[in-house]
Amino acid sequence: MNQLLTISASPHVHTGRTVASCMWNVVIALLPALAASLYFFGLGAAVVILTSVAGCVTVEYAVTRWMFHRPATILNGSAVLTGLLLAFNLPSNIPVWIVLIGCVVAIGIGKMAFGGLGCNVWNPALVGRVFLLISFPVQMTSWPLPIVNRLNYTDAVTGATTLGAIKMSEMSSEAVAGASVDAGMTAFSVDTLQNFIGGVGGSLGEVSALALLLGFAYLLVTRTITWHIPVSMVGAVALFTLLIGGDIMVELLSGGLLLGAIFMATDYVTSPMTKRGMVLFGAMIGVITVVIRHWGAYPEGVSFAILLMNSFVPLIDRYVKPRKFGERRRVR
Amino acid sequence: MRTFRMGGVHPPENKLTAGCRILDVDLPREVTIAMSQHIGAPAICVVGKGDHVDRGAMVGKASGFVSANVFTPISGTVTGVGKIKNAYGMPVDSVTITATEEDHEKDAERPLWTSALRSSDDIAAMSAKDIVDIIGEAGIVGLGGASFPTRVKLSPPPGKHADILIVNGAECEPYLTNDHALMLEHPDEILAGVRLMMRGAGVDKAIIGIESNKMDAVRLLRGRLEGDKSVSVMELQMKYPQGGEKQLIQAATGREVPSGALPVDVGAIVQNVASAYAVYEAVVFGKPLVDRVVTVTGPSLSGRGNYRVPIGMSMAALIGIAGGIPGDSGKIILGGPMMGRTIVNVDAPTMKGVSGILILPREQSARGDVYPCIRCAGCVLACPMGLEPYRLSLLSAHSHWDSAEGEGIANCIECGCCSYSCPSSRPLLDYIRLGKNTVMAIRKSRSVQK
Amino acid sequence: MSILYAIIVLGGIGLLGAGILFLVSKRFYVKEDPRIALIEELLPGANCGSCGRSGCHDFACACASATSLDSLVCPGAGDEAMKKIAGIVGLDSVVTRPMVASLKCGGSCQVRPAISEYDGASSCAILQQLGSGTTGCPFGCLGCGDCAEVCNWNAIHIDPVSGLPVVDADKCTGCGVCVSKCPRHVLELRPKGPKGRRVWVACSNTERGAIARKECGAACIGCMKCEKACAFGAVSVKDNLSYIDAEKCKLCRKCILACPTGAILDSGFPVSAKEMAEIALSKQKNNN
């Protein structure tokens, strides 16, 4: 033998699954939604997505290279993923400079300030998105109409989102007669099919439930994520909506619920480590989402709900443990 | 198809030697018998330098209840008694026996252990204690890898009673095929061994658990069992670590061994198929445990196969018979790739617990680059014991032994599912094993203090 | 008028809070010997445990309530600080001999050939579980630096050339944390010696000479030459391994010159034994 033998502790084989493969798998799962956003918003979508991805990758490279003095980590795909998710949470007519601010906040503050991938407490894309939502409320809530605006960017014709319209009518009706939530719901008629395929306005990535579900199927098949968080989150929204007497299909298909449930809440770093914890986490997000949607000032509450529950993840991990083999239950 | 409930992974099987017939290895001219080839107290050497020993003679005597006799597979003269480097490079007490030309020829001409020592009537008349005594005398230990003395397992502590024998034919480790080959070539002997062990332990039911990638063995054994209600063959879904004692019990019976308890606490005894075969040979032919089937395998090894190897033969010689160490070797592993240990000294002798020698090429030997944990929960989902490997590993790395103990680090079975599934290639099990050993030592000193 | 309400209400809340704080601090006041705080200030605060107590505060409490300081020694603080502590508690201080951690292994990369590469977490404790480590020697230093990691005083670093830990005798307090951490037990606390001069056997290998020699060029082979060379009976060979009793050693260093493998080391001398031998040799040549 011309070279020395290697010694190491078992196991001596590995799945081959790497951080990069996990991240790129999620990026692949986002491709249907990407295609849908390009189809519905055309030029605007292309500009926002490209800016966001390029911005996030640049910020990550700059921070790792010149502040951390570590090998650059951009190839593992996490910055691309954050960029895509941030773009998917923005309207298609948002100016480039706002997108870039979002990138700096998402990667710089949301991720790198905590020490990089694996150390952040909150989902970076959502940190960026919520920062923009609070800082630039006008630009962040003018939603271009799909399809008609394919060739427009910042000069797009805007309209209301489903949830926005509901909130508006709810508020006005409440102001007039103090009517219940149901009144608000019925005041705005919604085409479920349109909502499912993506004909209603909204953020880039959230318009097509169909595309998002395709991505979900891919993630499940490749075992990139488990079903626990998305299913418990959507289930909680459905149950809670049923309880307060809302329109379940509208609640499920509108806004960022599916995007959040499938791609944002399931972010590895900011979600719990155990199955039980995941179910609790997802269910709580669902409940908070409905609470914000119905009783909050904002028409949409998925981002806030996820960020809020992200803060509870260390607590959940501390107290929600998996059942150990041979614990409690004794057969015989 | 049944399996255990929690966690588990499915590594590529790579059963390169499946279907290879068991080849008998010629008796070597020199063997080295280690005194400690089992869990428990080492055997005490009963020969001196210069003594002549016959094939099958005892060279080391069990020194306690949890201990086992060791025997020589060849006739010859004792040429060395003392410390010899084992496969891992550590000095261990051993006896070296060298055969002269005369001894060698005599062994080759005079076949031993081919005609029955005891008639079937004699065997039928034996009591449970007789059978267990013969097993103990023959130095039989669990041949799956842990090498726990079989006699001890078959004699439950007072007050505890077993009602089922589970025979482990799962062979869930990738690459290894020694049990598979044995089941295909010696089904009747294995079944006879199983029945003997049932009598020895006083149980009236046995289940042979075999993973579904060995359907030929399942069919063969089932064919021999027609009309027999007490022994059954159970086909198990392929999942690692199915061969783990607690996992196998759950898969076969649905019983869950409480944490910190022994299988016998849920009435189960687990034995390997190779042990069953050895029991058969010991009871019928009076043969002590002097050889076993070893899978010698590796992607670049030319003569890989299943070999019946005299225990004590040098591993270098064995690998030589299997085509020699390939030039691109990176790791030589005793056992399978999930739980096996890497060795540095190929001149060391084979031992009772060596079920396979796996030679991995260099490009398959390196671990991946280590990245920070991304909290993907892969290790938690993969852990068959319901532990949180990421946390245990962190606690161990920072020497927080008390917290690690509280998190159940002592329950770890060191199966390696966590490290296997970690996308950041973190050395989770390295630290957990360290923590487990430390916690065990702390517990021991605590009980001594009391 | 309304501003007055605000002042009254907020001022009232403030007063109420202050009152509660006052009462609580009175009610739950824990009386502590004021000397404990003074003693603690003199201690290094590393909580290393080498005094046998659970931490520096515990040690300070023990000192304050002690009737004799015989069994209370903080190696980290040193004799100066212990004298001051003795002054505080009004007892006689015990002068200790300063100790230093010494490496009982000389198997540098140059003299101890590697037989394997280690791929795994960088920890001696983990490597120890795998067998003899990356060299053939089952007793020698593993070189992953567990000792350097646990040292509270930054006194140990791994020399990149030799691959062995180097103890900085000036920084080492002799607390012994590294000694208990080393899975191979190749670190030993030895008296620092007059002017820091000391001699020790840098090997832990108890195998027969021929085997040890094969594994490491600097191994003690148990040849007894050192034992014979020593006029004070300080050197003894047991299990093929030489050991120097620091109590009896007079630092003559004849054993170093006698050792055929260079397994005995010295430290703190103005001229090292090796140089001394060379000088002697050249003098001999000149005389001839």
Side-chain angles (χ1 to χ4, degrees):
Chain A
M1 255 178 307
N2 41 12
Q3 260 180 305
L4 296 175
L5 288 172
T6 305
I7 52 170
S8 57
S10 65
H12 307 286
V13 282
H14 190 258
T15 44
R17 198 169 79 115
T18 61
V19 174
S21 76
C22 295
M23 294 297 163
W24 288 114
N25 257 340
V26 183
V27 173
I28 291 172
L30 281 169
L31 289 181
L34 179 74
S37 70
L38 288 175
Y39 172 79
F40 289 117
F41 298 109
L43 181 69
V47 172
V48 172
I49 291 169
L50 279 179
T51 316
S52 173
V53 171
C56 284
V57 170
T58 314
V59 175
E60 169 135 344
Y61 182 79
V63 174
T64 46
R65 184 69 200 278
W66 290 303
M67 286 175 72
F68 287 0
H69 304 289
R70 285 188 206 156
T73 49
I74 47 171
L75 282 181
N76 70 18
S78 67
V80 174
L81 182 58
T82 305
L84 263 181
L85 286 175
L86 177 63
F88 281 7
N89 276 295
L90 301 175
S92 70
N93 63 342
I94 193 145
V96 167
W97 61 274
I98 295 186
V99 179
L100 288 177
I101 290 175
C103 293
V104 172
V105 172
I107 297 285
I109 296 174
K111 188 162 94 176
M112 291 321 206
F114 292 92
L117 184 65
C119 306
N120 47 307
V121 180
W122 294 283
N123 186 324
L126 285 181
V127 170
R129 196 245 162 170
V130 166
F131 179 85
L132 295 184
L133 181 65
I134 294 169
S135 309
F136 308 99
V138 178
Q139 289 91 330
M140 283 294 287
T141 49
S142 66
W143 309 104
L145 296 170
I147 301 181
V148 293
N149 285 315
R150 274 183 193 158
L151 296 176
N152 304 331
Y153 176 36
T154 47
D155 50 351
V157 184
T158 60
T161 64
T162 313
L163 291 170
I166 293 172
K167 187 64 102 183
M168 289 296 282
S169 59
E170 205 176 280
M171 280 176 163
S172 53
S173 56
E174 264 172 29
V176 172
S180 71
V181 178
D182 303 59
M185 286 289 188
T186 45
F188 184 82
S189 70
V190 185
D191 186 339
T192 305
L193 185 68
Q194 275 292 309
N195 227 351
F196 184 66
I197 296 169
V200 187
S203 296
L204 283 181
E206 67 188 33
V207 287
S208 173
L210 178 65
L212 292 171
L213 287 175
L214 276 178
F216 184 42
Y218 176 79
L219 288 180
L220 285 184
V221 168
T222 56
R223 299 196 177 182
T224 311
I225 60 169
T226 57
W227 57 267
H228 300 83
I229 294 176
V231 169
S232 62
M233 181 168 156
V234 171
V237 169
L239 266 178
F240 198 35
T241 308
L242 195 71
L243 214 66
I244 60 170
D247 183 335
I248 292 177
M249 286 323 277
V250 172
E251 289 291 325
L252 293 192
L253 298 177
S254 311
L257 182 73
L258 285 179
L259 180 67
I262 299 167
F263 294 100
M264 314 287 262
T266 55
D267 172 34
Y268 286 150
V269 185
T270 57
S271 61
M273 299 287 273
T274 63
K275 287 180 189 172
R276 293 173 182 183
M278 289 177 191
V279 170
L280 176 70
F281 173 78
M284 285 308 294
I285 294 177
V287 170
I288 297 174
T289 300
V290 179
V291 168
I292 295 178
R293 278 183 182 180
H294 283 275
W295 293 292
Y298 283 97
E300 173 59 309
V302 175
S303 341
F304 291 109
I306 295 175
L307 286 179
L308 205 60
M309 285 312 293
N310 282 166
S311 324
F312 283 94
V313 165
L315 199 68
I316 294 175
D317 278 341
R318 188 79 195 80
Y319 290 105
V320 184
K321 300 276 176 192
R323 192 182 75 84
K324 290 189 186 75
F325 188 101
E327 202 182 49
R328 287 194 295 274
R329 222 193 67 219
R330 276 169 190 252
V331 185
R332 237 168 94 93
Chain B
M1 247 185 292
R2 299 175 71 163
T3 185
F4 58 98
R5 288 195 200 97
M6 223 180 258
V9 294
H10 189 196
E13 292 160 53
N14 282 320
K15 304 271 190 190
L16 305 172
T17 50
C20 289
R21 287 196 67 81
I22 299 172
L23 299 171
D24 280 316
V25 171
D26 290 337
L27 291 181
R29 294 299 183 85
E30 190 186 274
V31 291
T32 304
I33 316 290
M35 287 298 118
S36 180
Q37 306 193 19
H38 46 262
I39 287 183
I44 294 165
C45 180
V46 293
V47 294
K49 200 168 173 181
D51 289 1
H52 187 271
V53 290
D54 280 328
R55 192 177 175 202
M58 188 191 290
V59 295
K61 189 163 178 47
S63 64
F65 182 61
V66 185
S67 185
N69 298 334
V70 287
F71 302 87
T72 169
I74 61 168
S75 305
T77 311
V78 177
T79 50
V81 176
K83 302 264 186 203
I84 294 279
K85 289 275 174 81
N86 71 3
Y88 317 112
M90 301 305 272
V92 291
D93 283 316
S94 310
V95 169
T96 305
I97 292 152
T98 312
T100 58
E101 198 63 39
E102 200 184 329
D103 292 322
H104 194 63
E105 272 166 24
K106 203 174 75 187
D107 280 349
E109 279 164 15
R110 190 191 56 182
L112 260 179
W113 308 308
T114 47
S115 58
L117 179 78
R118 298 178 179 90
S119 70
S120 50
D121 293 340
D122 284 350
I123 294 169
M126 279 196 291
S127 69
K129 190 177 174 299
D130 293 339
I131 294 175
V132 174
D133 284 346
I134 291 173
I135 291 171
E137 271 307 300
I140 297 172
V141 300
L143 295 177
S147 309
F148 194 80
T150 301
R151 178 192 48 171
V152 181
K153 269 203 207 173
L154 291 179
S155 353
K160 286 174 181 169
H161 177 71
D163 63 353
I164 190 165
L165 174 71
I166 295 165
V167 184
N168 186 354
E171 201 158 57
C172 56
E173 274 271 7
Y175 289 100
L176 299 188
T177 57
N178 50 320
D179 288 347
H180 187 192
L182 204 61
M183 287 190 283
L184 288 183
E185 291 186 32
H186 302 284
D188 296 320
E189 290 87 337
I190 288 174
L191 291 176
V194 170
R195 291 195 182 99
L196 284 169
M197 287 201 286
M198 286 163 68
R199 280 176 55 197
V203 303
D204 48 14
K205 198 164 174 275
I207 297 176
I208 305 176
I210 302 175
E211 282 198 346
S212 61
N213 56 354
K214 293 178 273 289
M215 283 313 287
D216 45 356
V218 173
R219 279 190 290 269
L220 186 68
L221 286 172
R222 274 197 185 140
R224 306 293 163 104
L225 278 171
E226 267 166 36
D228 189 338
K229 288 240 166 58
S230 58
V231 183
S232 62
V233 176
M234 187 178 280
E235 185 186 335
L236 303 170
Q237 190 190 320
M238 279 186 291
K239 196 158 84 171
Y240 178 87
Q242 191 94 258
E245 209 167 44
K246 294 179 173 179
Q247 276 67 32
L248 190 66
I249 293 171
Q250 189 179 48
T253 66
R255 300 176 192 172
E256 199 171 301
V257 181
S259 114
L262 293 169
V264 74
D265 290 320
V266 293
I269 292 174
V270 180
Q271 294 287 352
N272 190 273
V273 285
S275 306
Y277 180 68
V279 165
Y280 164 81
E281 285 192 318
V283 174
V284 176
F285 301 119
K287 179 182 175 182
L289 186 62
V290 289
D291 59 29
R292 66 158 300 155
V293 180
V294 177
T295 299
V296 186
T297 184
S300 340
L301 196 68
S302 57
R304 59 188 174 225
N306 304 309
Y307 295 90
R308 183 173 283 115
V309 179
I311 294 167
M313 176 183 183
S314 119
M315 282 191 266
L318 176 58
I319 299 170
I321 290 167
I325 299 172
D328 64 346
S329 300
K331 267 181 189 172
I332 303 181
I333 298 162
L334 291 193
M338 291 301 282
M339 287 190 76
R341 282 180 72 180
T342 50
I343 66 168
V344 288
N345 180 17
V346 284
D347 296 322
T350 51
M351 300 209 289
K352 289 176 182 174
V354 176
S355 51
I357 300 178
L358 167 62
I359 304 183
L360 285 180
R362 203 163 293 123
E363 64 266 21
Q364 289 180 35
S365 304
R367 287 190 176 179
D369 294 335
V370 177
Y371 293 104
C373 171
I374 57 165
R375 298 173 40 82
C376 71
C379 55
V380 181
L381 300 180
C383 182
M385 296 307 286
L387 305 174
E388 293 170 280
Y390 77 101
R391 191 188 294 278
L392 295 178
S393 157
L394 209 62
L395 290 171
S396 277
H398 291 100
S399 308
H400 294 263
W401 311 125
D402 291 353
S403 314
E405 187 178 7
E407 298 281 346
I409 200 166
N411 289 0
C412 173
I413 57 167
E414 304 179 27
C415 64
C417 290
C418 49
S419 294
Y420 173 80
S421 54
C422 180
S424 293
S425 302
R426 298 191 69 73
L428 296 168
L429 183 57
D430 291 19
Y431 281 111
I432 296 174
R433 192 185 285 113
L434 172 66
K436 181 184 164 186
N437 292 344
T438 312
V439 165
M440 290 302 205
I442 293 172
R443 277 189 184 176
K444 213 173 182 180
S445 67
R446 217 183 280 154
S447 66
V448 167
Q449 273 170 16
K450 273 178 196 165
Chain C
M1 198 52 207
S2 55
I3 194 148
L4 210 65
Y5 284 129
I7 289 169
I8 290 167
V9 168
L10 288 175
I13 292 173
L15 278 175
L16 190 72
I20 292 171
L21 280 177
F22 175 75
L23 286 174
V24 167
S25 67
K26 272 283 174 217
R27 174 79 183 74
F28 294 102
Y29 178 70
V30 178
K31 196 164 181 242
E32 199 188 57
D33 194 333
R35 295 177 303 172
I36 289 172
L38 292 175
I39 296 170
E40 221 176 332
E41 256 171 46
L42 291 165
L43 298 174
N47 295 321
C48 68
S50 56
C51 54
R53 305 277 160 177
S54 60
C56 290
H57 181 76
D58 195 28
F59 180 76
C61 295
C63 283
S65 58
T67 50
S68 149
L69 285 182
D70 286 353
S71 57
L72 289 165
V73 175
C74 173
D79 280 347
E80 269 314 298
M82 282 312 295
K83 246 181 224 161
K84 281 185 195 160
I85 291 172
I88 292 172
V89 296
L91 294 168
D92 291 331
S93 77
V94 181
V95 178
T96 55
R97 232 170 357 152
M99 304 291 267
V100 67
S102 311
L103 183 66
K104 292 194 288 179
C105 175
S108 63
C109 304
Q110 289 81 30
V111 296
R112 189 166 52 148
I115 58 165
S116 64
E117 283 163 3
Y118 174 54
D119 185 11
S122 178
S123 154
C124 303
I126 291 173
L127 183 52
Q128 158 75 3
Q129 295 175 349
L130 298 181
S132 71
T134 55
T135 69
C137 179
F139 300 95
C141 174
L142 292 162
C144 288
D146 280 9
C147 49
E149 202 177 302
V150 293
C151 184
N152 285 312
W153 324 98
N154 210 10
I156 307 182
H157 72 275
I158 297 288
D159 181 18
V161 180
S162 69
L164 294 174
V166 178
V167 181
D168 183 339
D170 294 333
K171 288 185 186 164
C172 178
T173 62
C175 70
V177 170
C178 54
V179 175
S180 56
K181 179 80 178 184
C182 178
R184 282 268 163 105
H185 311 295
V186 291
L187 284 162
E188 186 197 8
L189 283 186
R190 291 182 71 87
K192 216 167 184 172
K195 292 182 195 160
R197 292 175 186 179
R198 59 190 177 276
V199 177
W200 74 97
V201 179
C203 185
S204 307
N205 196 321
T206 55
E207 285 170 302
R208 276 185 292 120
I211 299 173
R213 190 69 206 251
K214 217 184 202 172
E215 290 159 359
C216 176
C220 172
I221 53 175
C223 66
M224 316 287 286
K225 281 184 182 161
C226 48
E227 193 175 316
K228 283 171 197 147
C230 185
F232 310 102
V235 187
S236 57
V237 176
K238 198 188 151 204
D239 288 342
N240 306 311
L241 181 62
S242 171
Y243 182 78
I244 298 174
D245 187 345
E247 308 294 329
K248 294 180 186 162
C249 179
K250 299 276 188 274
L251 302 172
C252 71
R253 295 192 284 172
K254 284 198 178 124
C255 52
I256 300 183
L257 300 178
C259 182
T261 59
I264 305 180
L265 298 183
D266 60 348
S267 153
F269 293 90
V271 183
S272 78
K274 227 183 208 170
E275 287 161 354
M276 218 164 68
E278 274 162 22
I279 293 166
L281 206 70
S282 60
K283 267 186 189 165
Q284 232 171 21
K285 268 182 195 162
N286 289 347
N287 288 354
N288 292 347

